Amino acid sequence: MPNKRRGNTPPKEVLEELFTTAYRIRNFETEGIKLYRQGLVRGYFHPYLGQEGIATGACTALEERDYIASTHRGHGHCIAQGANVDGMVAELLQKKSGYCKGYGGSMHIADISKNNLGANGIVGASTPLGVGAALANQIRGSDAVTIAFSTDGASNNGTFLESLNLAAIWNLNFILIIENNQYAVSTTLAEATRETELYKRGEAIGVESHRIDGNDSLVVYETVTDAVKKCRSGLGPILIEAVTFRHSGHHVNDPGKYMPEEKLKYYKDRDPVDRARDNFIKMGKASAEEVATIEAKIGSEFEAAVAAAKSADEVSIQEFREFVEGY
Ligand SMILES: Cc1ncc(C[n+]2csc(CCOP(=O)(O)OP(=O)(O)O)c2C)c(N)n1
Ligand SMILES: [Mg+2]
């Protein structure tokens, strides 16, 4: 995937934010998997490892008033949209202090205070939800933009085209980001569709569409920054296909044996976190000490979140029933 960077060197603060966010996601996933292996996390856990560049670049391009809708692989989106790690870890550990009081777990973390409409277990659901939020903002007279993070698997889903088409005829401030990680569980994209260049689905219905390197948070940031500007000036919606690859199987218990080693190596050599760090050091002229300080801070922030979650109250079955079933 060619690196289609545009524009001049971005300010150091942007490069720092890109690195900090990408590293925070990487640390959350790596350490979260350890908690899972210790039996502390119940339910599913779909790691975002390898895809950090997309959520990082996209959410860094947003303003506070903007919205996102996420997927089943949602930890990265949540962190990039400013969620606090304490609430996320507590949610994974089914504690009352979690984002959904421990009732939702990994696949349902939502953070309405940050305009994050939440992760979602239904493949493809983020697109109609995101279009709904964009329509609501248009009706309110707000220029807020909504990003729906979606997937290659969802691009063959009926609601994908239906929603994007509505966003187009209504000129909504809507950005659809397809995270093309080239697999839906173990099914390759080429097994699922004849047209594997997914941005063409947008072009087919008159939506400005781009295909970019999803492993470079800076390319994602610049593309989304442009798309946000266009949306706010009435030129939305816009589709962005961000090409990437996961570093491991579909979920924590999938060894991912079907992923070809040479392809995995290709993408690991273009690791989004390493690239964000390199950009921060080379373009932002950050020192090794600055980098180490950020990494250490993020490490201790996660450890503190685990300690707090471990000592927090569990959700009881009785409370769960009262909350969900109302008895
Ligand atoms: C509507 C729907 N169909 C099927 C599933 C089962 N399912 C869960 S994840 C998944 C594949 C997801 O692949 P993709 O959409 O490419 O996202 P990725 O896991 O690669 O991020 C499927 C089929 C589901 N959760 N929802
Ligand atoms: Mg996929």
Side-chain angles (χ1 to χ4, degrees):
M1 173 73 15
N3 189 329
K4 285 194 272 182
R5 274 220 53 231
R6 28 183 120 190
N8 304 321
T9 302
K12 182 169 182 178
E13 305 84 74
V14 170
L15 296 164
E16 178 168 350
E17 192 176 341
L18 292 173
F19 167 61
T20 304
T21 304
Y23 187 83
R24 183 172 281 125
I25 300 171
R26 173 66 52 92
N27 185 72
F28 186 93
E29 297 298 57
T30 314
E31 295 302 313
I33 291 169
K34 289 184 195 161
L35 297 174
Y36 187 94
R37 301 276 178 241
Q38 289 165 35
L40 296 171
V41 179
R42 274 172 253 160
Y44 272 106
F45 187 129
H46 300 87
Y48 198 58
L49 295 170
Q51 301 185 203
E52 295 92 339
I54 304 173
T56 297
C59 294
T60 304
L62 295 181
E63 302 288 337
E64 247 176 57
R65 62 191 182 286
D66 298 323
Y67 284 72
I68 67 162
S70 169
T71 68
H72 56 285
R73 200 176 296 289
H75 305 159
H77 310 133
C78 210
I79 291 172
Q81 189 68 356
N84 74 67
V85 167
D86 285 353
M88 291 181 68
V89 172
E91 188 59 35
L92 292 185
L93 270 55
Q94 302 90 44
K95 298 302 176 90
K96 281 186 205 169
S97 50
Y99 262 107
C100 312
K101 301 180 196 289
Y103 298 136
S106 162
M107 262 197 295
H108 302 99
I109 299 177
D111 183 7
I112 301 303
S113 73
K114 300 279 183 192
N115 293 344
N116 173 2
L117 303 172
N120 203 305
I122 302 169
V123 169
S126 58
T127 313
L129 285 173
V131 169
L135 177 62
N137 280 319
Q138 187 186 64
I139 291 168
R140 287 183 193 131
S142 159
D143 73 345
V145 169
T146 302
I147 292 182
F149 291 98
S150 188
T151 58
D152 52 289
S155 68
N156 293 316
N157 185 316
T159 56
F160 174 91
L161 204 62
E162 292 173 42
S163 315
L164 187 59
N165 191 55
L166 286 174
I169 57 169
W170 292 334
N171 284 92
L172 298 182
N173 288 1
F174 178 66
I175 300 171
L176 177 55
I177 298 185
I178 306 175
E179 301 200 15
N180 181 1
N181 64 8
Q182 310 175 48
Y183 279 98
V185 192
S186 56
T187 304
T188 64
L189 183 56
E191 287 170 313
T193 179
R194 269 196 193 178
E195 182 49 81
T196 55
E197 298 200 349
L198 300 175
Y199 73 98
K200 291 180 181 167
R201 282 160 165 66
E203 287 188 340
I205 57 167
V207 171
E208 179 179 322
S209 302
H210 303 270
R211 185 171 218 247
I212 59 166
D213 180 351
N215 276 27
D216 190 338
S217 54
L218 187 51
V219 170
V220 178
Y221 168 76
E222 289 175 341
T223 310
V224 176
T225 300
D226 245 34
V228 166
K229 253 187 231 153
K230 282 186 178 154
C231 280
R232 297 209 213 279
S233 59
L235 299 171
I238 289 171
L239 182 149
I240 298 165
E241 176 192 0
V243 180
T244 187
F245 209 65
R246 5 174 183 89
H247 279 185
S248 51
H250 174 64
H251 56 65
V252 279
N253 292 324
D254 170 12
K257 292 266 186 263
Y258 49 83
M259 298 163 76
E261 271 178 30
E262 63 287 2
K263 208 162 179 187
L264 197 52
K265 181 177 178 325
Y266 175 90
Y267 283 96
K268 282 193 172 176
D269 286 347
R270 288 155 186 79
D271 181 88
V273 181
D274 289 346
R275 283 165 87 180
R277 187 189 294 102
D278 276 2
N279 287 341
F280 183 40
I281 293 170
K282 290 188 187 130
M283 280 189 254
K285 310 217 182 322
S287 66
E289 202 188 336
E290 279 176 274
V291 170
T293 306
I294 291 171
E295 293 185 358
K297 182 173 166 278
I298 289 171
S300 4
E301 164 195 293
F302 190 90
E303 281 168 25
V306 174
K310 280 185 177 167
S311 62
D313 288 342
E314 291 258 351
V315 175
S316 73
I317 294 292
Q318 183 55 32
E319 282 171 306
F320 173 76
R321 286 195 169 142
E322 281 166 12
F323 185 75
V324 177
E325 300 168 12
Y327 71 88

